[in-house]
Amino acid sequence: MSNSSKGGNLGFASVWSLTVGGMVGGGIYTALGVVVAVAMQWSWLSFAIAGVIAITSAYSYVKLANKFEESGGAFEYLRDINLNGVAGSLSWLLVIGYVLTIALYAFAFGHYVTFAFNAGPWLTRVLAIGIVALMIFLNLMGAGKLAIVEIIIVWANLIALLILAIYGLTQWDSLQLMAGAEPKSAWSAPIGAAAIFVSYEGFQLLTYEYDEIKDPKKKLFPAVISGVAFVILIYIIVALGAVILAGALTTIDEKQVALAVAAKEGLGKPGFIMIIIAAGLATSAAINSTLFSTAKLTARVAEDGEMPSFFDHKNSNDVPDRSVIVIGILAALLAILGSLSTLVEAASLIFLFTFLSVNYIAVKKLNKNRWIPITGMIVGGIVLIILTARLAIINPLSLALLAGLGAIIIFGRPAILAKINNSKNNEKK
């Protein structure tokens, strides 16, 4: 447990900006078209429903972080309630989720930049690999967490999205929310919500940086909760404004670059350039910060023997270099091999499961306002069932792969770690 009440150098403004940036960094650029395809004119409600789960989970995260006073997120919370094996299993799942998220951001970066130059799919793959390789290099050099740079990018990104969304709302035409496609019933909203938790997961990264926050007892809660609430509002107005500008069918058909198309339709070439730049900066910053935090988490878990000690190695810059390299390579491969919908929904399933786990811990450990995490568990449980059923119907292979990975992690992880440790002990002898 941390014995410092003052913490590090990140003040309220920095924590707020990094919370917002971690969430808006890449998710909205890739998830909007996927959600519109499912929920159509109710897409805004999908983001609102997912937002309820996100903000209740954020409440649980920050309350638990302040209770235990340590970095590490869900891994540490489970350890603190003597569920070490569960903590180890969940940490492996989280790392997979973050790898999928980095892949998604790289996928988005490649598609938006390629769209700007009207180039072929080969450039998309080159750019996806190139941006991950660049972020691996920066992390290995010790420049993985540049808070000031990230904050500048966050605000540039927010301004661009607000301009697009607000202009779209001024052109209000509800028919555009269904243009060219079949209208959906309101019951499609929770189905759409199930696919977008990858757009809401970024606030978790702040719990891995608890020791870097100045006076976290006072600043973490208001900064994170207000940041999450702001992101929910941004997502709702973007889901309305951008689709009004582009039309529903175009948003679905061009889902890889939906916001760029909306900007081009509504704001012309200047708006198009604005969104392309914002998307490029936001996704690259999100890759960088997610890679940095995931590598730190992996090394932390390896320190406690819940992952192979291979990942605990650090270079001369005190960076967990092996973790950075392995995570980056896996993400780059997924970015060039996976489809948008598969990456979005697979990552969303993992993060939704994590949200449910943290809300459960909050119900067990917190003394006040338990109705908040209970609400998150109820709504999240319903959406988890919906997402699992949806994947079983439209993408059973992805669900089977995730289920297989889950089974290996839960049942095979102890045996894998034991075998590795035995091998090392034999080498020492």
Side-chain angles (χ1 to χ4, degrees):
M1 185 174 290
S2 172
N3 53 20
S4 171
S5 61
K6 292 186 177 179
N9 298 318
L10 296 177
F12 179 91
S14 297
V15 174
W16 190 92
S17 297
L18 292 173
T19 298
V20 173
M23 299 171 73
V24 182
I28 191 65
Y29 288 100
T30 53
L32 181 60
V34 176
V35 178
V36 172
V38 175
M40 201 60 62
Q41 76 273 25
W42 298 105
S43 297
W44 64 272
L45 185 55
S46 295
F47 281 103
I49 293 170
V52 170
I53 301 168
I55 202 162
T56 53
S57 301
Y59 175 90
S60 298
Y61 263 96
V62 295
K63 286 295 185 179
L64 290 169
N66 281 333
K67 180 179 179 65
F68 296 124
E69 296 185 49
E70 45 189 358
S71 301
F75 175 71
E76 291 294 349
Y77 310 153
L78 286 165
R79 284 176 56 81
D80 284 324
I81 61 172
N82 298 316
L83 291 174
N84 291 349
V86 178
S89 296
L90 184 63
S91 67
W92 283 41
L93 279 174
L94 264 177
V95 170
I96 293 170
Y98 288 130
V99 168
L100 287 165
T101 302
I102 295 169
L104 182 63
Y105 294 156
F107 181 99
F109 178 88
H111 277 82
Y112 272 88
V113 177
T114 300
F115 187 61
F117 292 101
N118 196 27
W122 63 271
L123 182 60
T124 303
R125 296 185 179 91
V126 170
L127 288 169
I129 294 171
I131 192 62
V132 175
L134 175 61
M135 296 309 159
I136 290 174
F137 173 77
L138 289 176
N139 272 268
L140 293 178
M141 293 298 103
K145 196 68 175 178
L146 299 173
I148 297 299
V149 175
E150 287 186 30
I151 289 168
I152 292 171
I153 291 173
V154 166
W155 281 100
N157 182 33
L158 288 178
I159 291 169
L161 289 175
L162 283 169
I163 290 172
L164 177 66
I166 293 171
Y167 179 77
L169 291 177
T170 65
Q171 309 299 306
W172 182 264
D173 180 358
S174 60
L175 293 178
Q176 280 289 89
L177 299 175
M178 303 169 282
E182 284 277 333
K184 304 280 188 178
S185 71
W187 291 106
S188 64
I191 301 175
I196 53 178
F197 286 94
V198 71
S199 301
Y200 278 113
E201 57 80 25
F203 69 83
Q204 295 180 81
L205 302 180
L206 268 296
T207 63
Y208 304 144
E209 310 297 327
Y210 188 84
D211 294 336
E212 301 298 322
I213 299 170
K214 186 176 181 180
D215 200 2
K217 286 279 188 177
K218 291 184 179 179
K219 295 177 180 175
L220 182 63
F221 182 84
V224 171
I225 296 301
S226 62
V228 173
F230 183 76
V231 169
I232 294 169
L233 176 62
I234 287 284
Y235 284 169
I236 289 171
I237 64 173
V238 169
L240 291 168
V243 178
I244 285 170
L245 293 175
L249 184 60
T250 301
T251 302
I252 296 167
D253 289 344
E254 302 287 350
K255 58 181 178 288
Q256 290 91 343
V257 289
L259 292 187
V261 173
K264 191 173 184 180
E265 291 290 330
L267 301 170
K269 191 170 183 180
F272 174 74
I273 294 171
M274 175 188 71
I275 289 297
I276 291 293
I277 293 173
L281 290 174
T283 51
S284 55
I287 292 168
N288 186 51
S289 61
T290 307
L291 180 60
F292 175 85
S293 295
T294 307
K296 281 192 68 174
L297 172 64
T298 305
R300 174 70 186 86
V301 175
E303 281 179 16
D304 280 5
E306 296 293 344
M307 276 191 178
S309 59
F310 171 87
F311 292 105
D312 187 28
H313 183 272
K314 294 181 180 178
N315 65 12
S316 58
N317 294 314
D318 198 34
V319 174
D321 49 351
R322 293 173 182 171
S323 296
V324 167
I325 292 168
V326 171
I327 291 166
I329 289 173
L330 289 174
L333 288 173
L334 285 172
I336 62 175
L337 295 175
S339 69
L340 177 61
S341 296
T342 299
L343 292 172
V344 167
E345 293 182 345
S348 292
L349 182 60
I350 290 173
F351 290 120
L352 179 54
F353 180 78
T354 305
F355 287 174
L356 288 171
S357 300
V358 173
N359 280 319
Y360 170 77
I361 299 168
V363 172
K364 298 280 286 184
K365 299 300 292 185
L366 299 182
N367 298 320
K368 295 180 180 178
N369 296 324
R370 290 183 179 177
W371 65 270
I372 296 175
I374 288 172
T375 300
M377 287 184 67
I378 293 171
V379 180
I382 293 169
V383 173
L384 179 65
I385 293 169
I386 291 171
L387 178 54
T388 304
R390 173 175 163 76
L391 284 172
I393 294 169
I394 69 168
N395 205 336
L397 179 58
S398 292
L399 183 61
L401 287 173
L402 283 173
L405 280 172
I408 291 170
I409 289 169
I410 293 170
F411 301 108
R413 183 183 61 83
I416 294 170
L417 291 174
K419 187 172 182 179
I420 291 171
N421 291 332
N422 287 336
S423 298
K424 286 192 173 181
N425 290 334
N426 291 333
E427 287 177 6
K428 288 179 180 178
K429 293 177 182 179

